[in-house]
Amino acid sequence: WKDMGKEWMIFIQDTNALALKAIPSIIGASKQNNWQMNTVCVPRMPGESMGAICRLVNEADTTKEIVINVEYNQLDSLLKAKWNKDGDIKNDIGYSHFPGNTNTLVFKIPEYYDNLAKTGGVIPEFVNPKYANAEKTVFKSPTRLECMMQDFPKLLSSAGEVGFTMYETWYCFSPAKNNINDAAACVAKGIPSYGAAEAEFNFYNWTNKVLAIAGVDIQKPDADKVEDYNGMKFAFGPKILLDPTFAITFKEIKEKFVGQNKIAADASLLLCESQVYFENLDLASGSLTCKNGNKVPGKPITFEKCTAGDPEIYQIRGYKPSK
């Protein structure tokens, strides 16, 4: 890639579909600041099971510092020992003082290559055990030795080479990595579920929010439309899919909708080609699919609760497409 003249490389968290939404802007931030490494971050709740970006200063030599991810199983004890006796506490607006690491990482390829060549590709190893009990005497699952890409700053020698870029959570982070029971337990604690039900809902929610910011009138569902899916409660608005062939950046999305456009709460819109523009669209009901030069109307896509006999791909969500 270096020899091909490629400049930037992006690592994504494979459970997080929204990671791709941040790529155009995170590369722009990396280029503007000339960072060797940049991390997509979101506000995190104290105690949330995600790593946090911290600036660590060497006590023996305060001229040495590092900006790096600290895993959540180490964070609270580190903060209690070196920052605050209460550990990972809330700030004035209710979030942790330390931004959450989404593991969407951008590296500058020439310097990345030079550092891996210098170290033989070796990054310090790490163990992140998951326990099944409060006493931490039983493993929840087998524990493995890891080499984590977010530890790359340990290979760097000078300040100003590493940064992070904060986004609102809805824009870039909603992973599907917890099973049904663990997801429901997270909701009961008042923290994100990280389950499949919420991840898919948030994918639809992303499109609705971005189109609303672009000036489209996105109608919200009635309050009585809230349904409980495995402990997660949602009220779906319009179900809109913007394929990357239609638009990628916010600028492109905004240019595709001209005039006064309106999409009803129970409508569905699938856009899968680039040469489609809307002027004064009023999608009051039903669905519209634009693909391969065709514009096909149809019935709206709706969801219903799963039953015990449904396939697992629907059971992990708690809802399925209605027939």
Side-chain angles (χ1 to χ4, degrees):
W1 286 345
K2 179 184 176 183
D3 292 343
M4 292 168 64
K6 303 298 182 185
E7 191 172 359
W8 304 101
M9 173 172 56
I10 301 99
F11 287 77
I12 60 172
Q13 180 77 37
D14 60 356
T15 59
N16 178 28
L18 291 180
L20 301 173
K21 305 295 190 182
I23 285 178
S25 54
I26 192 71
I27 293 176
S30 295
K31 184 175 181 65
Q32 186 176 57
N33 291 284
N34 196 31
W35 283 332
Q36 288 194 36
M37 178 181 174
N38 191 1
T39 301
V40 173
C41 289
V42 296
R44 57 181 292 279
M45 300 296 292
E48 193 172 341
S49 297
M50 66 186 306
I53 302 297
C54 301
R55 183 172 67 93
L56 308 180
V57 180
N58 189 325
E59 288 184 321
D61 182 357
T62 56
T63 64
K64 295 180 179 180
E65 63 179 56
I66 186 171
V67 175
I68 196 168
N69 173 74
V70 177
E71 282 299 308
Y72 60 86
N73 68 328
Q74 298 179 333
L75 181 65
D76 197 54
S77 57
L78 169 68
L79 296 180
K80 286 178 178 176
K82 300 295 182 181
W83 182 67
N84 183 296
K85 64 179 179 61
D86 296 320
D88 191 14
I89 59 174
K90 294 181 179 180
N91 61 16
D92 293 340
I93 57 174
Y95 291 107
S96 169
H97 290 258
F98 300 89
N101 168 30
T102 69
N103 281 341
T104 299
L105 311 170
V106 179
F107 295 93
K108 197 173 181 184
I109 289 177
E111 290 82 354
Y112 177 84
Y113 171 85
D114 292 343
N115 275 297
L116 291 190
K118 181 175 63 179
T119 63
V122 176
I123 286 179
E125 294 168 325
F126 175 82
V127 175
N128 185 9
K130 307 292 194 302
Y131 296 104
N133 61 347
E135 295 76 23
K136 298 184 178 180
T137 57
V138 179
F139 288 126
K140 182 178 181 181
S141 59
T143 298
R144 63 195 185 277
L145 197 62
E146 303 178 49
C147 284
M148 301 194 299
M149 295 312 308
Q150 53 266 45
D151 281 347
F152 181 76
K154 294 178 180 178
L155 306 184
L156 306 179
S157 57
S158 59
E161 297 176 320
V162 177
F164 67 90
T165 304
M166 285 286 284
Y167 291 80
E168 291 187 51
T169 304
W170 67 266
Y171 191 83
C172 65
F173 188 64
S174 185
K177 63 180 184 178
N178 279 343
N179 62 41
I180 296 171
N181 295 330
D182 289 348
C186 288
V187 172
K189 294 177 184 176
I191 59 178
S193 72
Y194 295 164
E198 188 170 14
E200 184 160 329
F201 172 82
N202 285 340
F203 198 83
Y204 292 111
N205 190 50
W206 186 94
T207 307
N208 293 346
K209 277 179 172 278
V210 168
L211 287 179
I213 295 170
V216 180
D217 182 1
I218 302 292
Q219 291 193 323
K220 295 182 178 180
D222 295 334
D224 60 0
K225 293 292 182 67
V226 174
E227 296 278 0
D228 189 309
Y229 304 104
N230 295 327
M232 270 59 69
K233 296 181 179 180
F234 307 120
F236 283 92
K239 300 169 188 68
I240 306 169
L241 173 65
L242 305 183
D243 189 85
T245 55
F246 174 75
I248 294 178
T249 66
F250 178 73
K251 181 175 182 289
E252 290 174 328
I253 292 172
K254 192 173 177 64
E255 289 173 346
K256 292 295 184 81
F257 292 89
V258 181
Q260 302 297 315
N261 297 279
K262 183 177 181 180
I263 301 175
D266 59 351
S268 306
L269 181 63
L270 286 78
L271 303 176
C272 303
E273 65 174 83
S274 60
Q275 299 303 313
V276 177
Y277 297 81
F278 294 98
E279 184 173 359
N280 301 327
L281 168 70
D282 187 357
L283 190 59
S285 64
S287 69
L288 178 64
T289 300
C290 300
K291 187 176 183 180
N292 300 326
N294 299 313
K295 298 172 182 61
V296 183
K299 294 181 179 180
I301 298 168
T302 58
F303 291 141
E304 61 186 38
K305 289 185 179 182
C306 286
T307 63
D310 286 319
E312 186 179 8
I313 59 170
Y314 298 128
Q315 292 284 357
I316 62 174
R317 293 172 174 82
Y319 50 86
K320 62 181 180 180
S322 303
K323 292 183 179 180

